[in-house]
């Protein structure tokens, strides 16, 4: 997994609440292996017509947002199912950070395991960022994981909180399973006395 | 210190606490379905084998056909591979598996409780968000992603940060025609689709005590639709009666010992929760959703909102976009919405009690002209029990299709789907854009309400039909 430290990049404003994982990655792609081009399936039905042509009105199809590496979304982004494919779709498209006032629980934990940083900021801050990005699509958003800050050019640095564990996974590109396997003696000791 | 039900189960499963706030938890039972293939693939890539196969169990549900029990009848090779991969992966690992031709196959969240595999005090995970269902039996159960499924298979453990706790007290008594589904839809409408994000939710109160265990599963099932990590209900006599005699439940002296331990599984009277919500279920009418989020639910007697009344221009635009997608007019009466399809089933409402309550409405009536109505039992045993009660005849005589167990049109991954623009009355849990197929329009409701819609061809207050007989 690629470590995440700092990122300054274009950002995609998603100005709608409750964008669910079915929108991020429609269920019909769940049967695809991890090697499939999940970036092409991101926002599939919002982005493309049934015949495969682009929907020009959808925000990701607008020129300035196409190479966005950051998503700034309204509340409850990526709610719904546990499909890790929703993370893969964002990641394969090139997105490395998602900023929102609130996020689906399982999505956040899936994200950290795949090198995608999720950031919670207060709703008014996020609303301000979305407005700024809509007004000036080529604005670059700067994310610094070490310092736990998000900022727009000439704007204040907004501090965000992150679970220290997730931070470490991301900063070091750490493989969680590898670490747990080093804890096997503790697991075995637990099992010896465990009645359940 | 006084403890909540959640604390008690959590503490029992702690292997170690780390200074960064994460806890390594021991997993009692790991349920697998036919979406688990990527996790097994991750393990193979690492050369790691499932560590405690006897603590896992699998049955295919998302990709199985519901018009036959023949895997070969799945024409799409990728779908067939998904349904089949679970058989191969579980066989290779020595994991218990109910295949398509096993009469006990069905939706994992229906099958595991039905078999007595989900029991009080257990920590249960599954790579599916509706794992919250099992909390209805007094367990701590939650959905995980593919990387976590691989982690649990490899270690039988999971890293978690302790969620906050929410206590939902449900007072009063339900009116006739109002069900567990209406309770949870009303609650989500009240606290929003993100209202329980970051929380483990415990439901309690007289209205929960009065619910059957099946109804409690419906409530816990949709906790994820409020964003909740887990939904749970303290076990009581009804729970014990439900579990007694089930194939995987303890027997004899073990049973007595288990019940004695289960009786202690309740929140202490002075336990403190991070959030308290109180609701009177006597004030709830049958609910239906009109939009694309489960929080967009209203009493059937209501009207759609007016975008013009929305608090902000963005909200107005969002509401209008939703109405456009759903093909609905601002302010229209919910009872004026006509439907094309009816789906009774899913892990939310595919159990025997659900089929009984729908059959009660359907009996002696006919599916309205132009409506295609399906019943998809949640499991093989649900189907068999319903048939023993003659419910299949009730549905078939009315013009319903009576199908084989699976997720079917809840998620449409097996090919059972709505056509673009079609509108369904559905007993499922998500009304997301395209959930039941691209362009599909879903209205969520209880089985009785879906049955009422089937026979009238429009969203209908089931109380009018129950009263008029
Ligand atoms: S019935 Fe629907 S919600 Fe339940 S497990 Fe199947 S697809 Fe998921």
């Amino acid at each position: 997994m690629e470590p995440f430290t700092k990122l300054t990049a274009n950002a995609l404003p998603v100005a709608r609440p409750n964008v669910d994982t079915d929108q991020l990655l429609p269920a019909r792609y769940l049967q695809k292996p991890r090697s499939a081009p999940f970036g092409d399936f991101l926002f599939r039905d919002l982005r493309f017509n049934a015949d495969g042509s682009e929907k020009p009105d959808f925000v990701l199809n607008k020129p300035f947002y196409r190479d966005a590496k950051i998503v700034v979304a309204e509340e409850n982004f990526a709610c719904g199912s546990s499909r890790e494919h929703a993370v893969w779709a964002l990641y394969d498209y090139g997105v490395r950070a998602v900023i929102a006032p609130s996020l689906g629980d399982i999505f956040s934990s899936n994200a950290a395991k795949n090198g995608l940083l999720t950031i919670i900021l207060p709703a008014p801050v996020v609303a301000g960022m979305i407005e700024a990005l809509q007004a000036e699509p080529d604005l670059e958003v700067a994310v610094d994981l070490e310092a736990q800050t998000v900022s727009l050019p000439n704007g204040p640095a907004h501090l965000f909180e992150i679970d220290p564990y997730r931070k470490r996974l991301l900063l070091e590109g750490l493989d969680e399973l590898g670490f747990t396997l080093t804890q096997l003696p503790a697991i075995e000791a637990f099992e010896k006395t465990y009645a359940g | 210190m006084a403890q909540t039900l959640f604390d008690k189960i959590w503490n029992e499963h702690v292997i170690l606490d780390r200074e960064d706030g994460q806890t390594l938890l021991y997993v009692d039972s790991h349920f697998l379905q036919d979406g688990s293939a990527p996790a097994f693939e991750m393990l193979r890539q690492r050369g790691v084998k499932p560590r405690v196969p006897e603590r896992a169990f699998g049955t295919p549900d998302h990709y199985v056909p519901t018009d036959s029990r023949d895997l070969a009848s799945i024409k799409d090779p990728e779908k067939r591979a998904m349904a089949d991969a679970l058989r191969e992966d579980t066989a290779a690992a020595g994991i218990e598996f109910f295949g398509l031709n096993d009469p006990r196959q069905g939706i994992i969240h229906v099958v595991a409780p039905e078999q007595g595999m989900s029991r009080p005090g257990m920590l249960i995970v599954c790579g599916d968000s509706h794992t919250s269902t099992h909390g209805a039996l007094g367990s701590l159960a939650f959905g995980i992603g593919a990387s976590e499924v691989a982690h649990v298979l490899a270690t039988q453990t999971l890293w978690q940060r302790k969620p906050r706790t929410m206590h939902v007290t449900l007072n009063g008594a339900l009116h006739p025609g109002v069900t567990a589904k209406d309770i949870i839809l009303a609650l989500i409408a009240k606290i929003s689709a993100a209202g329980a994000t970051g929380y483990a939710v415990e439901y309690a109160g007289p209205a929960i005590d009065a619910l059957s265990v099946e109804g409690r599963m419906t409530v816990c099932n949709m906790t994820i639709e409020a964003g909740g990590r887990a939904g749970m209900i303290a076990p009581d006599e009804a729970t014990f009666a439900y579990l007694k005699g089930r194939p995987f439940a303890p027997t004899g002296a073990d049973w007595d010992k288990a019940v004695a331990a289960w009786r202690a599984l309740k929140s202490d009277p002075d336990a403190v929760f991070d959030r308290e919500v109180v609701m009177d279920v006597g004030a709830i009418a049958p609910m239906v959703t009109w939009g694309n989020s489960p929080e967009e639910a209203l009493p059937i007697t209501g009207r759609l909102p007016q975008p013009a009344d929305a608090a902000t221009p963005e909200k107005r635009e969002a509401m209008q976009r939703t109405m456009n997608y759903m093909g609905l007019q601002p302010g229209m009466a919910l009872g004026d919405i006509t439907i094309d399809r009816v789906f009774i089933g899913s892990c939310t409402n595919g159990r025997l009690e659900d089929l009984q309550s729908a059959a009660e409405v359907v009996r002696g009536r006919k599916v309205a002209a132009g409506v295609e109505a399906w019943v998809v039992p949640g499991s093989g045993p649900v189907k068999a029990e319903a048939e023993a009660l003659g419910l299949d005849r009730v549905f078939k005589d009315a013009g319903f299709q009576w199908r084989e167990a699976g997720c079917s049109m809840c998620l449409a991954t097996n090919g059972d789907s709505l056509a673009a623009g079609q509108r369904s009355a559905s007993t499922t849990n998500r009304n997301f854009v395209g959930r039941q197929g691209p362009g599909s329009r879903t209205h969520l409701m209880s089985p009785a309400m879906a049955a009422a819609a089937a026979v009238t061809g429009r969203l209908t207050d089931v109380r009018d039909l129950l009263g008029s007989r």
Side-chain angles (χ1 to χ4, degrees), chain A residues 175-187, chain B residues 16 24 155 159:
Chain A
D175 178 354
E176 180 180 55
L177 180 52
F179 175 74
T180 311
L181 288 172
T182 67
Q183 304 295 309
L184 273 183
I187 299 170
Chain B
L16 54 95
L24 189 64
T155 66
W159 291 103

Side-chain angles (χ1 to χ4, degrees), chain A residues 30-31, chain B residues 34-38 63 77-86:
Chain A
L30 297 179
Q31 62 200 48
Chain B
D34 47 9
S36 309
Y63 290 91
E78 280 181 344
K79 291 191 202 308
R80 194 170 56 242
M82 287 298 280
D84 212 31
L86 185 65

Side-chain angles (χ1 to χ4, degrees), chain A residues 81 83, chain B residues 33 61-62 107-110 128-131 133 221 225 343 345-349 406-413 428-430 435:
Chain A
S81 95
R83 62 189 71 165
Chain B
Q33 31 75 22
D61 49 14
H62 289 71
I107 305 170
I108 185 75
H109 309 309
V110 176
D128 187 281
S129 57
H130 289 99
T131 307
T133 313
N221 173 278
E225 265 61 66
F343 179 73
S346 86
C347 60
T348 311
N349 283 127
C407 294
S408 184
M409 221 194 290
C410 174
L411 182 69
T413 42
T428 52
N429 43 51
R430 288 183 179 146
R435 173 80 177 179

Side-chain angles (χ1 to χ4, degrees), chain B residues 245-410:
Chain B
R246 303 231 169 224
F248 288 77
T251 53
D254 289 344
W255 169 261
D256 297 335
K257 221 175 102 197
V259 171
W262 294 345
R263 285 188 200 284
L265 286 174
K266 48 170 156 266
S267 292
D268 297 331
D270 45 350
V272 179
F273 292 81
D274 297 306
R275 186 173 171 198
E276 292 277 352
V277 174
V278 180
M279 210 168 76
D280 177 8
V281 305
I284 300 176
M287 302 289 289
V288 295
T289 64
W290 61 268
N292 297 126
S293 168
E295 70 184 21
E296 289 162 334
L298 289 169
I300 179 65
T301 49
R303 289 177 173 276
L304 261 65
Q306 295 282 356
D309 297 340
T312 63
E314 291 77 33
K315 289 215 162 71
R316 183 183 320 143
E317 202 188 307
M319 201 183 275
Q320 191 56 59
R321 189 169 52 224
T322 300
M323 286 184 191
N324 291 349
Y325 178 81
M326 291 297 289
L328 300 172
Q329 306 306 319
M332 74 187 287
L334 287 164
D336 287 341
I337 298 174
T338 57
I339 50 130
D340 308 299
R341 306 281 294 267
V342 172
F343 179 73
I344 297 175
S346 86
C347 60
T348 311
N349 283 127
R351 286 170 288 270
L352 186 63
E353 179 181 286
D354 301 314
L355 306 195
Q356 283 173 312
S357 100
E360 199 49 45
V361 177
V362 167
R363 197 183 299 275
R365 296 192 167 105
K366 292 276 180 224
V367 171
V371 172
E372 184 178 331
W374 289 17
V375 180
V376 179
S379 72
V382 168
K383 181 168 189 254
E385 285 167 45
E387 286 172 355
L389 294 171
L391 302 187
D392 58 324
R393 284 257 56 93
V394 174
F395 287 114
K396 285 194 268 193
D397 288 349
F400 274 82
Q401 289 192 30
W402 177 254
R403 298 175 75 99
E404 305 286 347
C407 294
S408 184
M409 221 194 290
C410 174

